[in-house]
Amino acid sequence: MSKFVNITTRITSYVQGMESALGSIKWLSGYRENERTGEWTLPKNAKARLTSDDCRAPAKDVEPTRLYLAVRQSVVEAKSTHAKYDGFTMDQILNTVDAAAYKLKLCDGNTGKKRTAAQVKRVKAFSAAKVKAAGDLGKYMGNLRRDLDTAQGIVKSQKDGKQKTAGGTGSSTGNVADREVESGTTPEAKGSAVPHAIQHPTLIELVNRLAQLSEVQQKTLADHVVVKGMLKALTAIK
């Protein structure tokens, strides 16, 4: 997978939330950085180095591409700095640990009804941790796909799965497992993110929408002249 080292390095920076996260998404999307000014521009006829479709899990009967596997593993490794899944890192619990053998070890070799309540509890905790790790990976992959689409000007309908680009319309692909485990969007938070002090409907909608933006989208919006002007206007209000 060494041929993808430039791509996976950028993904690591993005996933770990480094200062270069936004730049990484732009680079992956085909932008070019001016080393003197630090500004990013999109050259004519530029081609994205990585698209959201490259980051989508294939159907069960389809062999995953080497690029997809490299992207997935780089996300896993970037999120494996802490052993927060029942004592394992994400990489360990998803890729290294033999689940069946480990569950047997947790039960001191006991199977079925021979397992004690404590042993059953340990097995359930491990299984829950493995499910959570897979869910977290799905969230990170989904956020990566969404931010790539944002940078590349792709707007996807949440109703029919169709996507609209500058070149026309198409259909997003992927199997049911991909949509459930590696969803393309971050789930909406339960309840409202709006403080009770905010009452105006327009401001309520604004705050709720801001709460659903990814880190990269927040950085992009924060640099927008409209947002900066809004902050100045708020400061001027007495």
Side-chain angles (χ1 to χ4, degrees), residues 56-60 173-183:
R56 194 176 301 281
K60 289 184 179 180
T173 58
N175 57 12
V176 174
D178 176 67
R179 292 194 297 273
E180 293 180 350
V181 178
E182 292 186 5
S183 60

Side-chain angles (χ1 to χ4, degrees), residues 61-187:
D61 56 345
V62 178
E63 189 74 15
T65 65
R66 292 179 61 195
L67 176 56
Y68 168 77
L69 292 175
V71 170
R72 180 186 184 278
Q73 185 58 23
S74 65
V75 172
V76 169
E77 291 178 358
K79 286 297 184 181
S80 293
T81 55
H82 301 291
K84 62 179 184 179
Y85 300 103
D86 200 36
F88 296 103
T89 65
M90 179 179 285
D91 189 33
Q92 290 171 331
I93 201 166
L94 292 182
N95 299 328
T96 306
V97 178
D98 183 325
Y102 184 68
K103 289 178 180 179
L104 194 62
K105 180 181 178 180
L106 288 175
C107 297
D108 299 324
N110 293 331
T111 59
K113 294 182 178 179
K114 294 182 179 180
R115 293 179 175 178
T116 66
Q119 291 172 344
V120 171
K121 184 178 181 180
R122 288 198 293 268
V123 169
K124 288 184 176 180
F126 170 76
S127 297
K130 190 174 180 68
V131 170
K132 185 179 188 308
D136 286 348
L137 173 59
K139 179 181 67 176
Y140 301 139
M141 291 291 286
N143 287 342
L144 173 60
R145 290 197 300 269
R146 184 181 63 183
D147 288 338
L148 287 170
D149 283 342
T150 299
Q152 294 164 25
I154 299 173
V155 180
K156 293 188 177 181
S157 168
Q158 295 184 2
K159 292 183 178 180
D160 56 14
K162 292 182 179 179
Q163 62 186 42
K164 183 178 181 181
T165 68
T169 58
S171 297
S172 58
T173 58
N175 57 12
V176 174
D178 176 67
R179 292 194 297 273
E180 293 180 350
V181 178
E182 292 186 5
S183 60
T185 58
T186 303

Side-chain angles (χ1 to χ4, degrees), residues 29-75:
S29 299
Y31 284 73
R32 182 180 300 165
E33 183 181 18
N34 185 312
E35 295 183 0
R36 184 175 60 84
T37 65
E39 293 182 354
W40 290 88
T41 57
L42 188 62
K44 186 177 181 181
N45 299 324
K47 184 178 180 181
R49 298 175 176 89
L50 187 72
T51 68
S52 61
D53 285 340
D54 294 327
C55 308
R56 194 176 301 281
K60 289 184 179 180
D61 56 345
V62 178
E63 189 74 15
T65 65
R66 292 179 61 195
L67 176 56
Y68 168 77
L69 292 175
V71 170
R72 180 186 184 278
Q73 185 58 23
S74 65
V75 172

